Amino acid sequence: MTESSTIRWDKGDDGIVVLTLDDPNQSANTMNAAYAASIKATVERLEAERDDITGVIITSAKKTFFAGGDLNDLKAATREHSDEIATFVRDGKSYLRRLETLGTPVVAAINGAALGGGLEIALACHYRIVVDDPKAVLGFPEVQLGLLPGAGGVTRTVRMLGIVDALMQLLLQGQRLRPQKALEIKLVDEIVPTRDDLVPAAKQWIASKAGEEVHQPWDVKGYKIPGGTPATPALAQNLPAFPANLRKQIKGANYPAPHHIMAAAVEGAQVDFDNASEIEGRYFVDLVTGQVSKNMIQAFFFDLQRATGARGRPEEIPQFTPTKVVVLGAGMMGAGIAYVCAKAGLEVVLKDVAEGAAFNGKSYSKRLVDKAVERGRSTRAQADEFLALITPTADPAAAAGAQLVIEAVFEDPKVKAEVFAEIEPHLAPDALLASNTSTLPITELAHHVSRPADFIGLHFFSPVDKMPLLEIIRGEQTSDETLYRALDVAKLIKKTPIVVNDSRGFFTSRVIGTFINEGIAMLLEGVPAPTIEQASSQAGYPAPVLQLSDELNLKLMQKIRNAAKNATESEGGTWVGHPAEQVIDKLVADGRPGRLEGAGFYEYEDGKRTRLWPGLKQDFPPVGDPSQLSLKDLEERMMFIESIETVKCLDEGVIESVADANIGSIMGIGFPGWSGGVLQFINGYDGGLPGFVARARELAERYGDRFEPPASLVEKAERGETYSDEEALVSAG
């Protein structure tokens, strides 16, 4: 074994070899070049010394068992190197195959998370033991990065669990299973209480196989895949529905990984193990060398790490750990904020002008915890303990000593000023002051509090208990310490933060507004409403644009637009309108502002959406021949306009980080995940930045000047650059 080996070899007097996965150059073990060399040398040595070995145990010296593929390597894979990558993948699979056909019992002693490649190594063992630790999760998250398990994960799980269970329980959703669930579905064979119990338990199982030649079930003659193969009548009957259901689930959006996973599973079940493994490998290579996986790896790993990281925090700023928070306003947002704060263990005072409204706000949390009890995810005692943390009240004195206040009242500066004036005297002297506003400038709101340096925007997204993002808005007087305290709050309540500088609409509201306007304006051009909805779904947006507009409410859009228009004109600027305004004004005038009032672009019965309003055809007559419309244009107009607006936000200093822009757009406003976010979409567009610029100009010529690429984007394209925080640091240096 070489010095650079990532696998340590220890052989005891009992003839059992303990292989410890331990990459000396990384905090986690990954399937990089060093691992590839190590597994090759290790397997060859096992084969050479097989007669003197009674068993093999694979464990890890890291906190996790094995983290999977090296994402830097995967992100760098290109079509030009497909053959080379295919050979690397084939070789990696071959050593795991040789390991499981050694004849000697091999046990995986799983001491921590085994995700992706880590689980694939474990599946190549004959017996799997995992420690009883909630952090020791198992699963295949590859689909969430635009990939599939390429080291035998599809092939082995199909043979272990059957096509349907492998797809539904592991491969298509990227579920992370805790030890008990993994045991339940027979992904692992045994759970032990502590890490120290792993190797002894593994040795005990090896001892029980003394003198036996051990094989995988699928290598035993006559073995049948659970549930059968596509040739089995019962499965063959249902199989044609699989692709249709998948397409329905992803709404025709650009997510190739689920398709490739399903194809590898179904095709691989019809051939022997080695050919199934080759099929899996070919689908993996197609994904890893494609653009979508690069986009998703960038966003959901690298950008997410940056967004949740330390962000250059000075050592002298202490950690902020509030124990009591007061939430002002018990409406939908305030109630949701109270719930997530209580879930983090904080004492919550939920204050409203009327005690009845405050109690109604608390009932939101009660409904959620009651549902958790019904589904067995919580006990009644735990639910009662949770609810006891929330105190609904109309009395400002109940906020006594609170270290954090989050205001969530109406989007009216006067109302916000009044509630802060009322509550401030009761707070801790250095309490963090926060406003949950989606559009009102934080700098202006700060004029109404006694400590503007301690004031910051915390923009939550609805529903608060489900939406992962928290947009943190720094005002002109907000101190650095206040910013880091706000980041501590985000971590405490388990939200993913992005940081933006103050402006009307901030980042998320400003950018999503361009998407909504673009979709609504298509009605004026004669695009049928169902086509608009189809285009936004097919682009990959989680909610079609007209449906989303109904949820957000057209009256609110009018109000926000008028406020922005007045502010622009009062500052001597010229308001540039948008064609969508005509449609919004018409529907509001017709009494159809959205779901809240039971009528919008859609019709509603008992609060439930039923169908698109037929009157849209009369008010906005569709073109005679819809087949002449370019669906690609419709999809790209929505995505391009959001990306262009993001570049303007960068130019104006509203947002400073590429990672925050990408993560904020996906997690906060539903920008298609396959794209990697608003700026990664520009990077990954066909032809890169020059290709994006050329297409933007084409759209500008057809649909209006709003698609003209900003000068900074054109210059960046000419310099051969991309949108990257690393490039920005180099430029700044």
Side-chain angles (χ1 to χ4, degrees):
M1 304 289 283
T2 63
E3 283 186 15
S4 64
S5 171
T6 67
I7 303 174
R8 292 205 308 268
W9 173 295
D10 295 293
K11 185 179 176 186
D13 295 338
D14 53 7
I16 295 175
V17 176
V18 178
L19 300 174
T20 305
L21 304 167
D22 189 13
D23 189 330
N25 300 313
Q26 298 190 129
S27 59
N29 298 305
T30 62
M31 283 184 171
N32 54 16
Y35 160 80
S38 295
I39 192 69
K40 176 180 185 292
T42 300
V43 169
E44 288 174 350
R45 184 175 176 184
L46 287 170
E47 290 171 337
E49 300 180 21
R50 180 182 180 279
D51 293 344
D52 297 322
I53 295 171
T54 55
V56 179
I57 300 170
I58 302 178
T59 191
S60 169
K62 310 290 189 186
K63 288 182 181 178
T64 57
F65 178 70
F66 198 95
D70 188 305
L71 294 178
N72 283 298
D73 293 346
L74 296 176
K75 198 174 75 159
T78 62
R79 296 278 191 216
E80 291 76 21
H81 297 101
S82 291
D83 291 345
E84 193 180 313
I85 295 164
T87 300
F88 181 83
V89 170
R90 201 174 289 121
D91 287 348
K93 288 169 178 282
S94 72
Y95 294 116
L96 292 181
R97 184 66 176 144
R98 283 160 67 176
L99 180 71
E100 72 180 350
T101 55
L102 198 61
T104 303
V106 183
V107 183
I110 305 168
N111 61 300
L115 298 170
L119 181 53
E120 290 179 294
I121 291 171
L123 292 177
C125 300
H126 305 111
Y127 196 75
R128 286 163 291 283
I129 308 172
V130 64
V131 65
D132 190 10
D133 183 335
K135 292 181 180 176
V137 289
L138 300 95
F140 290 123
E142 282 89 342
V143 68
Q144 296 166 357
L145 299 176
L147 296 169
L148 61 74
V154 177
T155 304
R156 289 188 176 89
T157 53
V158 164
R159 279 155 176 74
M160 282 178 64
L161 308 176
I163 293 174
V164 176
D165 283 352
L167 289 173
M168 300 305 161
Q169 300 204 56
L170 278 173
L171 298 170
L172 284 179
Q173 302 297 327
Q175 297 99 317
R176 289 162 168 78
L177 308 181
R178 290 190 175 186
Q180 196 58 48
K181 181 64 178 177
L183 182 68
E184 188 183 307
I185 70 167
K186 299 180 181 176
L187 193 65
V188 299
D189 303 287
E190 187 179 341
I191 299 175
V192 294
T194 71
R195 292 185 178 203
D196 292 339
D197 299 314
L198 283 166
V199 171
K203 287 187 174 184
Q204 189 175 344
W205 185 80
I206 289 170
S208 75
K209 298 296 175 183
E212 291 183 37
E213 181 135 333
V214 179
H215 301 284
Q216 294 282 30
W218 46 85
D219 288 325
V220 176
K221 190 174 180 181
Y223 178 77
K224 292 183 179 178
I225 293 174
T229 71
T232 306
L235 184 58
Q237 203 172 9
N238 296 318
L239 211 52
F242 280 32
N245 288 335
L246 178 61
R247 185 170 179 81
K248 183 179 178 183
Q249 186 180 346
I250 63 175
K251 300 174 183 174
N254 186 23
Y255 290 101
H259 165 271
H260 282 26
I261 289 169
M262 185 175 287
V266 173
E267 293 169 24
Q270 300 175 72
V271 295
D272 62 78
F273 186 97
D274 291 335
N275 277 308
S277 186
E278 180 65 18
I279 290 168
E280 172 195 282
R282 290 179 182 179
Y283 278 118
F284 173 81
V285 171
D286 186 60
L287 290 173
V288 79
T289 57
Q291 187 60 46
V292 170
S293 68
K294 288 166 181 42
N295 293 342
M296 296 180 75
I297 289 169
Q298 180 63 44
F300 298 115
F301 184 78
F302 293 106
D303 287 345
L304 191 55
Q305 274 198 332
R306 188 176 285 268
T308 56
R311 292 176 177 264
R313 184 189 192 116
E315 289 182 12
E316 63 269 18
I317 294 181
Q319 201 76 15
F320 179 54
T321 51
T323 55
K324 181 175 180 179
V325 56
V326 54
V327 178
L328 303 177
M332 183 174 66
M333 292 300 292
I337 293 167
Y339 172 82
V340 296
C341 288
K343 198 172 181 184
L346 293 172
E347 178 188 346
V348 181
V349 175
L350 181 58
K351 187 196 174 300
D352 210 300
V353 287
E355 196 172 73
F359 273 91
N360 282 341
K362 181 173 179 175
S363 67
Y364 179 83
S365 290
K366 187 175 187 306
R367 285 195 298 273
L368 290 176
V369 295
D370 285 350
K371 192 180 292 184
V373 172
E374 284 171 26
R375 295 178 178 177
R377 295 199 307 263
S378 174
T379 65
R380 188 70 258 170
Q382 288 170 328
D384 292 341
E385 187 179 343
F386 174 91
L387 290 171
L389 289 170
I390 304 174
T391 302
T393 185
D395 182 8
Q403 304 102 334
L404 168 65
V405 58
I406 303 174
E407 167 270 306
V409 300
F410 298 119
E411 289 288 85
D412 184 329
K414 289 182 182 176
V415 177
K416 291 179 185 291
E418 287 168 6
V419 297
F420 269 111
E422 180 187 48
I423 210 73
E424 271 204 77
H426 303 282
L427 304 173
D430 61 346
L432 180 64
L433 311 174
S435 174
N436 170 59
T437 176
S438 58
T439 59
L440 297 176
I442 291 300
T443 302
E444 292 178 20
L445 294 179
H447 293 155
H448 305 293
V449 300
S450 63
R451 293 177 284 115
D454 295 338
F455 186 75
I456 200 161
L458 295 182
H459 177 203
F460 289 83
F461 296 79
S462 184
V464 179
D465 55 293
K466 291 179 181 175
M467 293 294 282
L469 194 75
L470 180 63
E471 184 176 31
I472 299 176
I473 307 104
R474 182 167 42 190
E476 287 178 12
Q477 295 184 64
T478 304
S479 71
D480 287 347
E481 182 169 357
T482 296
L483 171 62
Y484 287 109
R485 292 171 94 201
L487 287 164
D488 290 338
V489 171
K491 188 173 184 180
L492 183 65
I493 61 176
K494 294 182 169 56
K495 294 295 180 188
T496 300
I498 64 167
V499 177
V500 306
N501 291 312
D502 198 15
S503 83
R504 189 166 291 277
F506 316 129
F507 169 67
T508 55
S509 297
R510 176 172 162 179
V511 171
I512 197 174
T514 63
F515 160 65
I516 289 167
N517 278 340
E518 203 58 37
I520 290 174
M522 291 173 185
L523 286 167
L524 284 176
E525 301 165 20
V527 182
T531 304
I532 296 170
E533 299 296 72
Q534 173 63 23
S536 45
S537 291
Q538 199 162 299
Y541 289 97
V545 65
L546 301 181
Q547 178 185 316
L548 180 63
S549 300
D550 271 6
E551 298 290 336
L552 296 176
N553 196 281
L554 303 185
K555 278 184 181 175
L556 179 60
M557 291 180 200
Q558 262 189 343
K559 184 178 178 182
I560 291 170
R561 179 227 305 167
N562 291 337
K565 182 177 184 235
N566 292 338
T568 300
E569 292 175 346
S570 67
E571 292 166 6
T574 302
W575 177 254
V576 180
H578 193 285
E581 294 172 12
Q582 297 176 49
V583 181
I584 293 169
D585 292 344
K586 176 80 171 90
L587 262 76
V588 171
D590 289 346
R592 305 194 64 86
R595 182 172 186 165
L596 192 64
E597 296 184 38
F601 290 109
Y602 283 80
E603 292 186 325
Y604 299 87
E605 286 181 16
D606 300 322
K608 292 183 179 178
R609 188 173 56 255
T610 55
R611 61 173 181 168
L612 279 159
W613 178 46
L616 289 173
K617 293 178 184 176
Q618 281 74 51
D619 285 353
F620 311 103
V623 294
D625 183 7
S627 68
Q628 298 303 306
L629 295 168
S630 166
L631 196 61
K632 181 184 178 185
D633 276 14
L634 300 182
E635 291 175 24
E636 291 200 338
R637 281 171 64 181
M638 298 178 196
M639 297 183 72
F640 266 66
I641 203 67
E642 289 197 276
S643 293
I644 288 168
E645 191 66 24
T646 300
V647 173
K648 293 176 182 176
C649 287
L650 268 182
D651 290 346
E652 296 166 25
V654 174
I655 196 156
E656 298 176 352
S657 156
V658 173
D660 281 353
N662 288 334
I663 291 299
S665 66
I666 295 171
M667 291 188 170
I669 55 176
F671 197 77
W674 63 264
S675 71
V678 275
L679 294 177
Q680 181 58 28
F681 174 62
I682 300 176
N683 291 340
Y685 193 75
D686 188 20
L689 267 65
F692 184 94
V693 166
R695 177 62 169 150
R697 285 172 171 161
E698 192 177 288
L699 292 173
E701 199 172 314
R702 291 182 195 171
Y703 304 106
D705 291 345
R706 59 187 179 276
F707 288 100
E708 275 296 333
S712 64
L713 169 56
V714 176
E715 289 162 11
K716 206 171 189 64
E718 289 171 350
R719 292 194 299 266
E721 296 175 354
T722 60
Y723 285 100
S724 158
D725 288 319
E726 287 73 19
E727 281 191 7
L729 286 171
V730 170
S731 300

